[in-house]
Every structure is written in structure tokens, then in C-alpha cells.
Amino acid sequence: MGAPSGFTSSDKSGRSTKPVESREHVVIRFAGDSGDGMQLTGTQFTNQSAMAGNDIVTLPDFPAEIRAPAGTLAGVSGFQLNFSSQHIFTPGDEPDVLVVMNPAAYAVNVDDLVEGGILIADNDAFSKSNLRKAGFEGNPLEAEGLTDRYRLFSVPITKMTVEALKDLGLPQKSVVRCKNFFALGLCSWLFNRPTDATLRWIEAKFKKPELIEANRRAFHAGWNYGETTEAFAATYQVPEADIEPGRYTNITGNKALAWGLMAAAAKADKQLFYASYPITPASDILHELAAHKDFGVITFQAEDEIAAAGVALGASFSGSVAVTGTSGPGVSLKGETLGLAVMVELPMIVVNVQRGGPSTGLPTKPEQSDLLQALYGRHGECPVAVIAPSSPTDCFDAAFEAVRVAIRYMTPVIVLSDGFLANGSRPWKTPSFADLPEIAAKFWTETLGFHPYLRDEDTLSRPWVVPGTPGLEHRVGGLEKDYNSGNISYMPQNHERMIRVRASKIERIADELQPLEVMGDPDADTLVISWGSTYGALYAAVKELNSQGQPIAHAHLRWLNPLPPEIGELIARYKRVIVAELNMGQLVRVLRERFLVDAVPINRMQGQPFKTGELVAEIKGLMEKRA
Amino acid sequence: MGAPSGFTSSDKSGRSTKPVESREHVVIRFAGDSGDGMQLTGTQFTNQSAMAGNDIVTLPDFPAEIRAPAGTLAGVSGFQLNFSSQHIFTPGDEPDVLVVMNPAAYAVNVDDLVEGGILIADNDAFSKSNLRKAGFEGNPLEAEGLTDRYRLFSVPITKMTVEALKDLGLPQKSVVRCKNFFALGLCSWLFNRPTDATLRWIEAKFKKPELIEANRRAFHAGWNYGETTEAFAATYQVPEADIEPGRYTNITGNKALAWGLMAAAAKADKQLFYASYPITPASDILHELAAHKDFGVITFQAEDEIAAAGVALGASFSGSVAVTGTSGPGVSLKGETLGLAVMVELPMIVVNVQRGGPSTGLPTKPEQSDLLQALYGRHGECPVAVIAPSSPTDCFDAAFEAVRVAIRYMTPVIVLSDGFLANGSRPWKTPSFADLPEIAAKFWTETLGFHPYLRDEDTLSRPWVVPGTPGLEHRVGGLEKDYNSGNISYMPQNHERMIRVRASKIERIADELQPLEVMGDPDADTLVISWGSTYGALYAAVKELNSQGQPIAHAHLRWLNPLPPEIGELIARYKRVIVAELNMGQLVRVLRERFLVDAVPINRMQGQPFKTGELVAEIKGLMEKRA
Amino acid sequence: MSTTAVDVTKQTRKDFVSDQDVRWCPGCGDYAILAQVQKVMPELGVPRENVVFVSGIGCSSRFPYYMNTYGFHSIHGRAPALATGVKLARPDLSVWIVTGDGDGLSIGGNHLIHILRRNLDVNILLFNNEVYGLTKGQYSPTSRLGQITKSSPMGVVDQPFDTAALALGAGATFVARTIDVEQKHLQSVLHAAVEHKGTSFVEILQNCPIFNDGVFSEVTDDDGRAYRQLLLENGKPMLFGPESDRKGIRLSREMRPEVVSVNEDEGIDEDILVHDVANDAKSFFLASLDWQTAGAQPPMPVPLGVLRAVDRPIYEQSVHGQIDAARQKEAAGDFDRLFATGDSWVVD
Amino acid sequence: MSTTAVDVTKQTRKDFVSDQDVRWCPGCGDYAILAQVQKVMPELGVPRENVVFVSGIGCSSRFPYYMNTYGFHSIHGRAPALATGVKLARPDLSVWIVTGDGDGLSIGGNHLIHILRRNLDVNILLFNNEVYGLTKGQYSPTSRLGQITKSSPMGVVDQPFDTAALALGAGATFVARTIDVEQKHLQSVLHAAVEHKGTSFVEILQNCPIFNDGVFSEVTDDDGRAYRQLLLENGKPMLFGPESDRKGIRLSREMRPEVVSVNEDEGIDEDILVHDVANDAKSFFLASLDWQTAGAQPPMPVPLGVLRAVDRPIYEQSVHGQIDAARQKEAAGDFDRLFATGDSWVVD
Ligand SMILES: Cc1ncc(C[n+]2csc(CCOP(=O)(O)OP(=O)(O)O)c2C)c(N)n1
Ligand SMILES: Cc1ncc(C[n+]2csc(CCOP(=O)(O)OP(=O)(O)O)c2C)c(N)n1
Ligand code: SF4
Ligand code: SF4
Ligand SMILES: [Mg+2]
Ligand SMILES: [Mg+2]
């Protein structure tokens, strides 16, 4: 008989009665087949942890295939969460706890588990055929030495799930699908997570009552298994972190970016127009915005990336806050249109959620290798502004700022996110809309002395004139324009003048950037520079190094073009400058060229974020080498 | 009655009987309406000069419109030629002789004429309506002071042409069209050019006998006008230059490039496959190659630049020497496909005949602003080899070398030409085909131990295996591949390894580059660096500076990626390094970054090549400033 | 000074003539088209500030500069994309796309077929001169087999597109064809295009005297006008030929076109096809008439006028319709509510 | 060791199965297609080393990895371009393009229509699942109006392409349609495609159980098979429906499709259209049958099989023909003569 749903602990309240050990932080990774629902499990566990008051950082990791054959190494999907009572900045280097739902997940992930870490495995899934698919001869759970290295909990998850659900009359396939909730229940128990939200979520998510009941039962069964059996002697507790009061929501970078665009358009009192062609890992921005038609957002799924850029530019000409989002391959296609946007000087945002390149590369993995393309990837002298968010939540602010700058300077702005930010999540202290700054964005209507390339003295930007404005009919286009009339001009000096004025316009943005913050040891002789998503890992590494007494400071660049004006002087103050990036060294080139500083790179191109430990070691190595 | 054709000089031989003054070199510019045949006139005059034994450099200058309304400034077309008894390297800064066929041509060009220069004008064309179209109130030929500045020859060219042809029964339109041959005849007389070739050319070029006769008569009429009237007191002679013996032909950069590709493919014993989409100023390469089907050349006019690149890459997979040619906007579209070529490691040549950018920019004018795009204009770490020819004739050698390197290293190679090289011409000492080096290009057929990413130890290149080879069936593609098997791989370390190996492959090309030649003063403390088409202007400027006693040396970079290995050391030897480019400073960024040298830029973005005089002045200025 | 609106009813041709010098070659067919468009504009009753001309690159694509309206001379092939953005963001504007056979059918082919299927309410004028003019005479996707051009010295071997068939195949709701030199017809087609709600696709056969002179003379010279123009009228039989030698088109049992002589006084045979702009099969049939193959006997006439006109939902209306519907939702547009969605929690 | 050729006559299905793990979702229609293609391959009599599969990006575009032939998994939408290069450089190869409704009709639409008009002798298999599979479920250019997907939460408003109509409009010489689950039919269509000289365009309706499950069940479930499949055979009347309830298609006076009951024993009415793969008007007519609009009465059947097959010059033959002709010229291929052309002169 299947177990009814409900907790077995004495008070039936979902609180364990077993002894509790306290931990500062825990890194847990759920891994299974793409069909096993690991992303969902991870997300739920994350929400529970956030609500428990921990600081959290997540790192989902998908395969490139939708659903590679079940049980194969290629089909393994993972989700890692770091939850802590301290402020944290990375999803953690290595999991303390690893949950594997099949042998392939074991094979791909086990080497990452810290020695002495907890390994929970669904031993039902370690069947002969699954073992073969994962390339095992025997059952690795039974391998010699395994229990010396890890604290193994070999749990018959499938069997117990089936058992718990057996009288519900569901097809076997649906029953087995619930096993991730068993795992979630077990982990919820193990880490004393609040369970109400999950139970509420199950009710909201599943439409059919029997599925609600099934998942609820599986969840309870997992929880009860921990509480009842003697396999686990104790539970763990990660105390609440000291977090600024406020309302929080756990948000991925893509969602934050979408919301940032929406909020900025609203604050500029303009229509948000998002034109895009689906591509991993940027598509979720399209999905998120498409779901917000109630905010007046127009989303347009174009026939390709070139069209998306063209449609956005047309919408900008018509007065919308126009955005086109994509990933690397799409940016390689948008170059020509971006050049046109530079020439016609219209505001436009290009979001590049970077992934592993070149070419199709590693489509689901993060990388920072599109920076030089953002700066130089078009024919002609073709400068655009470039900003890179530093965390999932900063995606909101960076998007907001990109819109502001694009309008104020009448220029395209590239936002360089990446797959790690896009899918990773952080708790976001939700602002009140009223408190967000206004964005000045008035269309030009003055006919006196008008021409389309009249320039604002401060910003050098030209006026934003939209069709429908009487008396200001004019033509824009990709041919060079006369500085004084906006007509086509092939005159030699005029061309040079226009090239220089377009460049100066971008440089002027620097005047209003937030001052660069220098973190870490104030007496440092070494400066580590990061940009984009590596902020967290670098921050954590420098903190660690400082705590080890290393004299290191840290600066993070959010704007890549223009650079903050003080960066040159700042760099000059240090004996050593290190630039860490997930590429072959791109920002480091820019800094070396601009400031003739012998900055040295730390590079990683493995489709993964930096690990703090690696960074610590590598920075130390450089300090010794260049002492 | 119209004049019969024939020369009026006493010996009827086309040799003048008037006094002859000798000149070291002459810069002449023909300018008129797009419909006036100025390119043809210039080309013929050039050929005459080459055959007269002079060294020559040309600079055609077209409007962007096919044929803007007759008589307007926008419709002016020009052709400048420098012919000399010395070795020359530029088309000359300012014309010594200016021929203008209408007021618009006068307006656009007259300021360039050197003081005291010869100005020949078709005064019949200075009608009221033409003057108005060119923006004149009165007739500038009659303006006060003009004859003080220039030696004006105001000639009724149209009227005399009409007169000479009047009994031929041709329609008025055809008659008037012949006036450029009058001008050519006059100039041929004035500079004692050999006339036979022109007369032969007229016969070959025109099909209808009456047109042959008409142009012949116009030519003679012009010649005779000079000889007979008293307008001209003397003729000029530019003696033969001391030119290496051999057979020469006057060749434009585009033609030389096309021939270089053809010769290279033949030397590699492969089919040349050129896929392109027309674009100024690259289209002539397509036209030239399309005309050589007798060499087995396949040309494919694609539906767009993306298709052209894709077709080329497909042809390369099939074993052709595959080339795709375009200009800036087209390169901005080819980025993604180029990335695929990098990933699949197939040989491919991308020719970029640079023009003024960004966007549509100045489509008929040269610029060097696509260098950084060539280096960095693709997503991901995506290195390709980059070579830039230094003169129209070097286009042959650079194309040849690009093919060799592409095959040897199994890599895309970008050839950066520009509009100046493309249309400009130089005498080319024609090689014997037999003397050109062979290009080793064997397809791989060995099955033992084969996988598609097996690497050659020396070059790191993978094997070129073409379909049809039994036993070597394999798949390539844009996803990251395993170093050891060539299968798709998402493994972290493998990705980094592959990125590094692709980069090393390009770096290895440096091992076999020709040593860098240092020209100019051997004891110099200042080094001027040039690349691409600016070679000639820089060479001439440094020569001039040296002759003025300035301690300056000159190095020219032909390969931009990789850089020649000795460049770093070389640069370190100088107190000052100056990099002159037709852009905002792109190579200078690369050198500053790579070698941390405080190289300073000289930039010009005016849609024109450097002028030697400007360079001399600017370099001197920098020497003083940084003394 | 504030902006001043033009009185729509008083707009004249001149109001649509810009101050830019027209830079086409003498004798170019584009002049005639420009003149007709400028003539038709005031009749639309749209103030010129609400009109936008969007083009790509090519001789034809210079068009916007000469219209005293808003204009965007974009990049090669992308005008339909730009125009989609303009129109979708501002459905109140009258949006016109001007393109060429190279711009619209070669590099821009994809954007063209996609805008046609989406059916935005815009007008597309494709100037078909069967050559690349601006780049000085290479063959285009409409150049005929065997045509000698700079890039096809031994003759074109690429089968040309039939522009109308391509548009119909893409699902265009309005497809028409006219000729630069037929001023009246051109005007009437422009009017029909404007009246159509949805994407109006108009192919204009245009002479390029410099690189493809006389390519349409077979249907525009005196003989051609008389014998080779099939002037389509909705609901009317498909007749052509001079008064003295009228002919009609009928369908054979095998569904092939047949040309037969007709004596209008004696009444028109039932078999003669009656044009129906809303009948897919007829539109496709007309598009498949091969009027270009040299020497076909009897030579087929070129169908001119509206080949197809059907009603279908208009894209921008559907898009804005969904937005309007969504805005009826409770808390629509409330950011504070949005930020609090999902599993939010409070730290105090 | 030198390379070894396979004995063509002895090739079996297995020779075409590569060593790569097939990575589609369980139940994906792509498996069935792969199996049929691998089955048909040995029957072509082409040694597998002379076969090249070229694809773009998408689930469907993974296809080449699973074929033990040469293969190129290129970039999104560009397979027709790559394949054109492969085939034009080496006309002796058997070249196959595998693409999806997104890859082939969205980003790759332009290359597709251009390869179709050029008519290279290659085979195109377009797997139409009416959705973007690989990117996890956005709508595609063939998704139906109203379809709810991740990017169309309130329903698709973009009119879908009719794939066959688009191909016909582009001038395709061979257009066919089949279904993943109809193994025999799929095989026969593959055979017909191979036999056709010129570009063969085959649309394969394919189920994506993950993101668009059952989209074709209306024509593949038991009822659908019986009532909704119009199996085309050249020279045969257009009939469908179960034995007990046969129907035929005829053209009304207004040239509109009509479905009528047929009793085959009593002889088939003259009016019933007879399929003719070489008749443009009929092919277009078939392509314009609207079988997808839900709830049409009577529902139209889906035309399956070869809609069009006509002969036209083959692109690569024309290209190489010109080259061969040029090579007959005196001094063809003589570089020294080439270098001396134009106005060359000798300095001595
Ligand atoms: C990306 C890009 N590729 C190529 C070109 C060169 N180009 C400009 S116009 C044109 C063809 C124009 O042909 P068409 O559209 O028929 O216009 P026409 O000049 O005949 O009116 C080409 C190939 C360009 N400007 N941009
Ligand atoms: C340039 C570029 N843009 C976008 C993508 C993302 N992408 C990959 S496949 C695909 C759509 C595939 O749809 P379809 O061709 O129908 O194939 P299916 O997966 O349905 O078989 C998209 C949008 C990409 N890889 N490259
Ligand atoms: S080249 Fe042809 S199409 Fe272009 S402007 Fe001249 S005549 Fe007109
Ligand atoms: S997502 Fe759909 S099309 Fe792609 S492999 Fe899975 S089932 Fe097949
Ligand atoms: Mg054209
Ligand atoms: Mg699909």
C-alpha cells in the first residue's frame, strides 16, 4: 500500500526530530538524466534555502541536446547550489553533497565531490543497462574505497517512490517521473529546509489532482525516509545569513535582464520593443518578455538575427526602446546592422548572452570570449558602448543603465551577459518601481534650424525625431553624412570629422560613470581586475587571499567601452596587474594597449565559471613568479 | 568639313616638332563627368606612359553613383597618374597637370593643382547651365587671378571634336562622346607619348568602323591642335626610368589578386573556386575570374555574402582552393561562417577590399579600417591568418602566399586589400609561370589511425580529406571537437586545449615568414611602420625625410596575423615608433598591446591614400614633439 | 518655434518632392516611377509626416532621399526588416518599402518572403530591372538565362525567379505587376496597393538604360503594348491584344493555358477565364504563365495589374490586439506586483 | 595502409550507420526518418564515400553524425550554401541536405529558395515538426496560427508558410511531401527524389513528442490515415478515403477545389483531376489545398507524394559545361599567355 502524504516526524510539521549539526555553508549538486527533472529539483531546493534566510548562488548546467538518449553521459543535467549563512559570491567550487539519479550522473560528477562529502545515489537506477550506457563494467557504488572517500547513501529512490504511489493508478512512467520529488524531500529533510512553499508550489504547478497527490507523496516519502530510517543519523542546519531587510525574490540573470529592460522603458515612458531570434542561452529573455504583454511589451520573433536587428533598429527609428538579444553566433550576424545603427545614431540595445565559441562551440556553456568582437567586430571605425553585468541581479541594473545611455547618447549599447549569469540565480532585493530613477527621453520636435545631425553640446548626440512629427521629415541612412546638414557627403574632411565625433560621443559616456570601487587590501601592491560574470569568483578569491595576508586589491569593470576614466591612474599605482577572464585574454589586451601596463592574464576556457580555489592558487603563483 | 585622321606634324609620325622640355616626373589628373570616359582616358594615357618606359602609379577616383545627373559635383570622376623617370611609389600628392571636361570637374579638383600647374579645360562645357549645376555664378575660367596661379589652356574641345567628326554622319550624342579622345590626343602630344598603341587599341575596342574612325579622328584632332596652334609653345618629355629588364604589363590590384589566386590554385594542382556577391570595390575580382573559365576557374555569384562564404567553405571541403571576396559590409556578414571555417579547419581565403566605413560609408573610397575586424570580428576565440598586399602588383604575391598558407595550415586567411590597391595600377614584371613556386597540397588518404583532427607535428594542421576517399568517411561541424578523436566533445579541458591549439597553429605561420626588411636610415632612432596600401606613401615620405637628414627607418608589415617574429625586438631598438594608417589607429593598438611600446599613430580617414607631403610634415612634427 | 502640421487635403505633388538632387542616370526608369509615386501620394490623404519610405541599397533604393517624407536608406536587403520595426512600433504610419531585384530577391529574399507571410499593412515596390545597377551590371536573380553581364561573360545559367510566383508561394495577400513606362497603369496599381489592407507587393518592370537597356521592350514597344500586355481586371475575362485581334486565355483539360481568338462583339466564350483576385489557383496560374522565354509560340502576354488580393489578419493588428487584451488583466503593468511574483520572501 | 573502396553492390544498411550515439529524445520522429534513409542508401548504388550529408543546426540537423558517410554539420540555415559548394566543386558526389522548418525556412529561407531555383542535383530533406526543437520549443515559420509556445504565450499570429507552395513559387523542379511514420511512403518518396535530376525538395512531416506532440495526428492517426491522406500518383486521378468511402478532387468552374464521392467500380468521373507532376498549375493547385486549418468542412486531405517533377538544366552541369567549352579555346590555361595579355611591353 502506498504511503499517504504527510510527515512522519513526531509533530507532523515537517521539522525533523533528529539531532542537528550546524554548517556555515553547503554546496549541493543534483545530477541526473535530462528527463529526471534536476533543474526543477534544484530550483525548488534553492527557493527553500532562500526562504530559510540563506544567501544563495546557483549554477545550472544543461547538456546541448534536448534529451540525449536516457542514461548516457551526454544526457546528464546538473544543478548546483551554494547556500550559506555568510555573504557568498559563487556557486561553490566543489559540491559538499552530490545527489545522483543514475550511473551517468555519477560518472560525470563524482570527481568533483569533496573528500568526505555526502553522496546520495538512487541505487535502483544502477541497473546493468544503465551502467553499460555510462561506460561502467561493474557497479561503482560497490567499488572498493568509495565509502572511504565519501559518505555514501545508497537509497532505493525509484522503488520507494513507486511504493509510495502504487495505489494512485498512475501509469508507470508518471510514477517514476516523481522520483525527483523523493530526492527533494530527502534533501529538504537533511538540511532542515522549510517545506510549505514546496508543497504549495506542487499544487500550483500540476494541474491534475492525481499528479499533485503523487508528487506530494513522493516528497513526503523522501522526507520520511530520512526521518525514519537509520541511514541518516543527523540533519544539517545552515543558519540564516545576515541579509539586508527587504523583500527578496530569487532571480536568474535572464529574467532580471528582461525586467530591467521593461523597467527602463517604462521609466523613459517608451514602448519596449524586443526583436530576437531564439538561441541558447538567450532565448529565456524572449520568453520572459513575451509573457509581459500586459506591460505593453512588444516581442517579435524574427526570421533570423539580421532581421531581428533590423526590426529593432526600425522600431528605434519609430521611437521605441529597441532591444535585440542573442548569443555569439547571432552577434556575428548582426554586425552589419549594428554598423548602420552607429551611422544613423539611433538608440538600440544588443544583448549578447555569451556562450562557448568559436562557431557553435559549446552552446550551453558560459564564456567571455566575445569582448573584442563587441569592441571591434564591425567593418570601419564603428564604436559602440559596452556594459557587462556582474551578477544575475546586476543584469537588472545593467540593462536599465544600458537603456539610459543608449537614449542619452543616441547610440547602440552592447550588454555582455553570459550563460552563467543567464541561468544562474541570486536573491534579488526587489526595488520599488517608484524609487527607480527616471530616464529622460524626449523626442525632438523643434523645426527651427533643424537637421538630423544637429548635435547636443554635452553629449554630442543627435536629436531623436520620430516619424509623425510635422515639419521634421528627413532621411537617414548608411552613407556618410554631412556634419552640418545631415545630407549625404563624400567630402574628405567631413568623413574624418564624423568618425571622430562618433568616437568622442562614446568617450563622453565616461564622464558620468559611477566611480570605480577598489575592493580588497587598501595597501595592496597587486591589483586584480575582473569584468562581467567573474566578479563573484574574483571577489571571493581576493577575500580569501587577503585573509591569507596577501596584499591584493580588486577592481571590477562594468563598462568596457568607454572604460572608467580613473582606470589608467589606478592601474599605475600597482606593481602588478592581473586580469582574470574566461577567454584567452581579451580585456587584458585592451588594458595593455591603452595604458602600456604589463598586465598579466589568468584565463580559463572550459565552459565553466572560475573556481575560487583555482583562482587563489593561480594568483598566488603569479605573485611569486613576479615578486 | 571634318578633319581626316592623321598627324599634322611634319613627319606625320606622331612625333611633335615643337621644343621639348624634360621633367623627372609628372602627375596628371583627368577629371570630368562620369559619362565623359575619364577612366578610359586615364588608363590609355597610363599605358602610353608605361610603354614610354616610365615608372607609373595610378589613382582612379569614382563617384558612388553610377552616373549622377550630368554636370553635378556628385558625378565627377577622376583619374590621376604619376609617371616618372625615377622609381616612384605613389600616384603623387598634387597634379602638375589637370584636365577638366566641365565646371563640376573644375570645382572638385582645381584646389589640388600645384601652383603654376597646367590647367586644360574644355571651355565649351562651361555653359551657363553647367556652371549652375556646379554651383558657379560666373565662369571661373575667366576669374581674376586664375592665370596668375595656373597656366590655363582653355580649349574648345567639344566644338573641335564635333568639327572633326562632322561628316561621319554619327548621331550628335556619339560625336560628343569622342571628346575624351581629343583630350587624350592633346595630352599625348604634350607629353610626347607613343601613339601607336592607342590607335591600335581604338581599333580593337570599338566594333563599328564609324566609331573607330570617329575616335581616331578625335584623337588626331587633339594631337594636331597641340602641334598646330600656338597655344602650346613646347612639349614635355619624361625620360625612361631605369627599370629592370623584362616584360611588363600595367595591372590593377584587383586583377593581380585574381591572377595570383589562379596561379596559386594551378601550382597547388587544385580547382580555383571563387564564390562572391558583388560589392564595390571588390566586384572586379569576380569579373576577372569569371572571364577565365578557360583556366578551369569556377566562379559562383551567390545570393548574398553569407551564402558566398558558405559555398566557398563547402567547396573547400570538397577539395577546391576556395575563395570568397568582398568588401567591409560583406565581411561583417561572413563572420559566422568564418568562425565555422576556423572550427572545421579548412583552407579558405577571404578577400576584403576595404572601403570607407562604417556601414555603407564611402563605398568607392579606400580606407584601412577593417584590420581589427579581421583580427577580432567573430564571436569566441577565433584566430585567422591575415595578410595585406602593399601595392597593386603585390596583390598577386599576397594572394599566392595566402593560398599557400591556407592549405599548409588548414586555416582561413584574410587578405586585406583596399580600394586604392584594387583600382590603382602599377607596371608588373610578369613572371614565367614555371618559375613560380609549387604549392604542396596533397589530400589525405591514409586510413590507418585516421581521425579528422589528427595533427601534423610541424604545422599543427589537420589532414585535408575530401569526400570520395574510401575508408575516411567522417563528419565535421561547428561544435567543439575532441582533440583525440574528432568527435563532438563538451569536456572542459578539451575545449581549452582545442582553443590553444587553434591559436598555436596560426602562431606557427610566423616561423616561415620572410624576414622583415628595414628600409631607410640604418642609424635611425625613429621607426615608421606601415601596412597594406600605405607602403608606397610611407616609403616615399621616409625617403624624402632621409634626404632631409632625418634619422628615420621604415618597416612594412605584410602579415598582420601572425606578426613577423622579429618585430618585437626591432621595435625595441628605436626611441620612437610611429604607425601610419588610414584609420583611427588599429595596427598601433596591436603593437602597443603586444610589445608595450608607446607607438604613436598617424591617422587619416578621408577616403584617400596618404599624401607624401602630409606624411613628411606630420612625421617631422612628431619627431619634434617627442624629441 | 513649434512644429506645424500640413493640411492633408491641400497636399500636392510638390509637398512630396524633397530638396535632394536626384542622382539616377539619364533615362533611368526610376524617374518615371518616382514621378508617379509623388503624384499618387497627395491622393492618399495621409499627411507626409506620417509617411515613411524604407529602402535597402541599390539605385532603386536611393528612392527615399527624393521623397519629402520620413525615410530610411538602410543596408542591402534589409528594408523589410527595418520597415517591420517601423510599422509594428507605430501602426499609424504609412510605410513603404522600395527595393530592387537584387536588394529584394537576392540578399533580401528571406526578409521579403517573411514579411509577405506575416502580412503587415505596408506597401512594397520592387523595381525589377533584371540587373544589379548600382554595382555596375552583374546579373540578378531575375536576369534571364543566357544574359551576358560582367559576372556572366558566357551567359547566365541560374534559372531566374518569377517574382510574382515567389510572392504568391510565400503567401502574399496582394501581388501586382506594372511597368515604369505605363504611367496610368502604374498609378492605378499604386492605388490598389494602398487600398489593400495587408502587405501589398508590387513588381515594377523598370528599364536600366545603362546595364540592361530594352529588356522589357518586347512588352513596352508598340507591338508589345498591343499584343503582349494582359491587363487584369477583377471579375473580367482575361483578354488581350489590339481591338482588331483580341485574344483570350482559357484552361485546357490538362489545366494548361491556351490562347484563343475572341470576338467581343459576338460575346465571350464561357471558357475564357474570368479573373478573380481572391482565387489562389488562378493567381498561381497567372504567375506560371511564361511570358519571358524568348521565341515561345504563341508568345504569352505578361499579366499586369493585380494578380492576387485577399484579406487575412493584419500582423500589427494581431500583435497589438494581444497586447491590448493582456492589458485588461488585473495589475497589468504593475512593476511592484511583478517584482513580487514567484517565490519571494521577506527578510526583516 | 592505403584506402579501400567498398563494393557498392554489397553495401547494406549497416554500412551507413555511423559509430556515433544517436542523441534525439525518445520517441522523436527523426529516428524513423534516419532508419529509412539508412535503408534506402544501399539501394542507390553509390559507394558511401561518395555520399555527403550537409546540415545546419537543429535537432534534425544532427542527422549527418549518424550517417557513416562524409558529413558537414554546418551553421544555422546555411546548409544549402555549403552543399552548393560541395556539389559544384565535385558534381560526382551524391549530396544530401538535411534541414528543419526553422533551419530551412526561417534563418535559411533565402538559401533554400535560391538553391531551388538554381536546380543543383542535390536532395533536400526538410524535417517539419512545426516547432524549434533544439532551442526548446519556440514557434517556427510553419507553426499554426494560435499555437501556444514559449515565445507565443498568447498564440502565434504569424501566418505559417505552406512549405510546398513556397518551394514551387521559388521554381523548384521537384517537390514532394511525406510523413515520418509512413515508412513505405517515405521510402518511395526518397527513391523518387534520388531519381529526379535536379534539386529534390522533400518535406517530411515529423512529430516532436517533446514540444509539439501529435501535431500531425489528424493525418496520421487511424482516422487521418484513412480520410486525410491524398496519395498522389503521376497520371492517376486524385483519390483518397477508405475503400468504403472513396473521394476524389475536382476543379469547380471557379477553379476552386471540390471534394466529391467516387465509386471506383462504376468508373471515375472525367472531372476528377488526374495528377501530372509536370503541370505547374496542378502542382500549385495541390499546394494551395488548405489541409491544416482546423475545422474546415469537409476537411481537405494532405497531398502526399510528388507534387511536382520537371526537367530543367542542372546547375552544375551548366557551369561545368561553360568551363569545358572555354577550355577548348586556344591557349586555354596558359598563364604565360595570360600574363602577356593587355598592353604589355618589354623593357630591355
Ligand atoms: C552587404 C552588401 N553587399 C553588397 C553590396 C553591393 N550592392 C549594392 S546595391 C547591389 C545590387 C543592387 O541591385 P538591385 O537591388 O537590383 O538595384 P538596382 O541598382 O538595380 O536598382 C549590390 C550588390 C552592398 N552595398 N552591401
Ligand atoms: C545563428 C544561430 N541562431 C540561432 C541558433 C539557435 N538555433 C539552433 S537550432 C534552432 C532552430 C531549430 O529549429 P528546426 O530547424 O525546426 O530544427 P528542429 O530542432 O525542430 O529539428 C535555433 C533557433 C543558432 N544555433 N545559430
Ligand atoms: S545604373 Fe541603371 S538602374 Fe541605376 S540609375 Fe543608372 S539607369 Fe538607373
Ligand atoms: S526536441 Fe523534438 S525534434 Fe528535438 S530531438 Fe527531441 S523530440 Fe526530436
Ligand atoms: Mg536591379
Ligand atoms: Mg523544427
Side-chain angles (χ1 to χ4, degrees), chain A residues 407-436:
Chain A
I407 295 176
R408 184 160 157 76
Y409 291 88
M410 292 290 283
T411 179
V413 179
I414 294 182
V415 180
L416 284 179
S417 178
D418 65 37
F420 174 46
L421 296 178
N423 297 314
S425 66
R426 293 274 288 146
W428 181 50
K429 184 157 178 291
T430 58
S432 137
F433 182 69
D435 293 345
L436 294 173

Side-chain angles (χ1 to χ4, degrees), chain C residues 179-190:
Chain C
I179 313 189
D180 54 357
V181 291
E182 300 291 348
Q183 308 191 5
K184 285 266 160 57
H185 192 264
L186 179 48
Q187 274 182 42
S188 74
V189 167
L190 290 175

Side-chain angles (χ1 to χ4, degrees), chain A residues 209-344:
Chain A
E210 61 272 27
L211 283 184
I212 295 177
E213 179 60 15
N215 283 298
R216 210 192 271 145
R217 279 204 201 166
F219 183 76
H220 279 128
W223 198 97
N224 293 345
Y225 175 82
E227 180 73 6
T228 312
T229 71
E230 282 170 12
F232 295 88
T235 67
Y236 301 89
Q237 176 70 28
V238 174
E240 283 186 26
D242 175 22
I243 288 174
E244 214 185 310
R247 175 171 283 282
Y248 284 82
T249 186
N250 187 33
I251 196 166
T252 63
N254 272 349
K255 194 185 248 194
L257 207 150
W259 290 5
L261 295 172
M262 285 165 59
K267 284 293 182 180
D269 199 16
K270 300 273 169 293
Q271 187 175 48
L272 177 63
F273 193 122
Y274 187 78
S276 185
Y277 184 69
I279 186 166
T280 305
S283 309
D284 281 336
I285 302 174
L286 172 63
H287 306 157
E288 181 65 23
L289 290 171
H292 292 303
K293 301 200 202 312
D294 54 329
F295 284 75
V297 179
I298 298 184
T299 56
F300 179 82
Q301 184 177 310
E303 57 270 28
D304 64 18
E305 284 88 349
I306 301 177
V311 170
L313 188 54
S316 171
F317 184 64
S318 269
S320 292
V321 167
V323 185
T324 183
T326 188
S327 183
V331 178
S332 288
L333 289 167
K334 288 180 204 284
E336 197 202 2
T337 311
L338 206 45
L340 178 62
V342 167
M343 205 64 153
V344 297

